[in-house]
Amino acid sequence: MARRENARVGQDEPGMREVSLTIPVAPDMEIVATAQAMALGEYIEMPRDKIDEVKLAIVEACINAFEHAQTRDDRVHLTFRVGREPDGPEFLEVEVFDQGKGFDQRSIELPSLEKTFGGGKKRGWGLQIIRSLMDSVAITSGDWGTRILMRKYK
Amino acid sequence: MSEACKITVERRDDVAIFWTDGYINNQGGEEIARQAYTQLEAGARALILNLEKTRIVNSIGISILIEVLEKVMDRKGTLAFCALTPTIDKTFRIMGLAQYAAIYPTLEEALKAAAPPGETAQRP
């Protein structure tokens, strides 16, 4: 498994605004997190369809943490950042962090249509959806927990 | 706090139309499945899910919709979706749902496609 990664991408970029939120591992709490993304997306005037993509990526990241992480503090910690890359576009960045058992990314079986349709394995699409919806995704995991850092450009 | 998805079902001959309102997660998906199976037992041939008032369907909800689709296909019926947001449309395509279920921009188009040749499923 990956070593703990303390670097927090983008944290020092000029003009960055940051909001933190901690949610309990409980039904529907992922929707509370999406409300924050909605507010910050509107703050940078991100198109609604792109905000929806960020919201679904957050939902999937939170559900993964709720179902698989076995968090030590029974919580999921989110940090939302809006900013602009030097001479680049504005972005909304979301970090989803849990203090769970972590996972080995190499051991994750990729989902497929063949296994989903007519097969018994219909779940396991969360990470695939996150990677498809966001512009950049970095996942670090270890026995300290899991951190998913994802960014969407306006 | 409740984010329960509200589901309304309307039957027009052998077409069952489902209006969803809210977040489709495991509970929402299971409720759609329960009502879909009830409609199939009652003779519905075509199911149409109008997601006009739904902006998020998570992967668990979609996996349940795929189970519904498989059951509908086993019975030689059809399942169609309409009024999807671009994000839901994209997610359905990622998970393959769009390969086996038709997706229409509007309910009217879904109804037209569901109607037997020479007929319409429009409200009288």
Side-chain angles (χ1 to χ4, degrees), chain A residues 103-124:
Chain A
F103 68 100
D104 184 346
Q105 294 181 58
R106 293 166 302 181
S107 70
I108 300 296
E109 186 183 1
L110 288 175
S112 71
L113 299 185
E114 292 72 29
K115 284 179 246 174
T116 297
F117 286 89
K121 191 175 187 310
K122 293 183 168 45
R123 300 284 304 278

Side-chain angles (χ1 to χ4, degrees), chain A residues 41-61:
Chain A
E42 289 178 343
Y43 177 76
I44 62 168
E45 299 180 343
M46 177 176 272
R48 177 68 196 265
D49 291 336
K50 289 195 174 189
I51 295 175
D52 280 350
E53 293 184 351
V54 175
K55 288 168 68 176
L56 181 55
I58 291 170
V59 163
E60 295 299 331

Side-chain angles (χ1 to χ4, degrees), chain A residues 6 25 28 35 44 69 71 82 93 96 104 108 137 142:
Chain A
N6 286 319
V25 175
D28 289 342
I44 62 168
T71 60
V82 292
E93 182 177 272
V96 181
D104 184 346
I108 300 296
V137 179

Side-chain angles (χ1 to χ4, degrees), chain B residues 9-87:
Chain B
V9 184
E10 181 188 343
R11 187 71 178 265
R12 299 187 193 178
D13 298 324
D14 58 358
V15 179
I17 307 163
F18 296 70
W19 276 270
T20 66
D21 185 350
Y23 176 35
I24 300 179
N25 55 4
N26 52 328
Q27 289 103 337
E30 284 164 6
E31 181 58 19
I32 291 170
R34 189 185 67 76
Q35 296 206 35
Y37 299 152
T38 299
Q39 291 297 324
L40 289 173
E41 288 299 320
R45 175 188 55 82
L47 308 184
I48 299 172
L49 268 67
N50 183 344
L51 303 191
E52 185 181 356
K53 293 186 176 175
T54 288
R55 292 202 74 89
I56 301 180
V57 186
N58 72 21
S59 59
I60 305 173
I62 296 176
S63 69
I64 296 168
L65 294 179
I66 290 171
E67 290 175 3
V68 174
L69 173 61
E70 288 175 340
K71 190 158 284 191
V72 170
M73 291 168 71
D74 284 346
R75 290 170 173 253
K76 311 297 182 198
T78 62
L79 174 65
F81 297 91
C82 65
L84 307 185
T85 68
T87 302

Side-chain angles (χ1 to χ4, degrees), chain A residues 85-103:
Chain A
E85 289 185 350
D87 301 320
E90 284 184 284
F91 61 79
L92 170 56
E93 182 177 272
V94 185
E95 182 179 316
V96 181
F97 169 62
D98 70 69
Q99 297 177 36
K101 64 178 184 177
F103 68 100

